[in-house]
Amino acid sequence: SGMALQQSGTKARFARAQVLAWSGDHAGSRRAYDALLVLEPDNADYLLGRAQAWLWGGEPARALADIRAARAVAPGYAALDEL
């Protein structure tokens, strides 16, 4: 059950990172994604989320770096085609 607890905690942290971005706290969102990416550096959802936070925060070049990283780890990921 330790793994299940960790997974639910990670889901909650992912949701919080998304909410921070949507509410305009782009720096807070990036920090939340940074922490998630320490745990799972190849997670395309986290990379894309951080890219969105960079983009909404006015830093498209940094967003592009995260999008490229997401494409490298998940080349068939459908959400990448929407960017």
Side-chain angles (χ1 to χ4, degrees):
S1 69
M3 181 58 109
L5 270 177
Q6 183 182 351
Q7 284 180 331
S8 67
T10 304
K11 277 186 185 164
R13 291 169 70 188
F14 180 39
R16 181 176 173 273
Q18 291 175 306
V19 168
L20 286 168
W22 295 331
S23 66
D25 183 358
H26 305 123
S29 176
R30 286 193 307 269
R31 283 192 298 274
Y33 281 117
D34 287 345
L36 286 164
L37 284 160
V38 167
L39 300 173
E40 294 182 58
D42 292 341
N43 186 307
D45 288 323
Y46 301 164
L47 287 164
L48 282 179
R50 190 171 66 180
Q52 211 167 37
W54 281 123
L55 199 57
W56 293 348
E59 303 227 29
R62 296 186 101 158
L64 190 56
D66 278 344
I67 290 167
R68 286 189 176 129
R71 279 201 172 114
V73 298
Y77 191 46
L80 287 167
D81 297 333
E82 296 167 18
L83 298 171

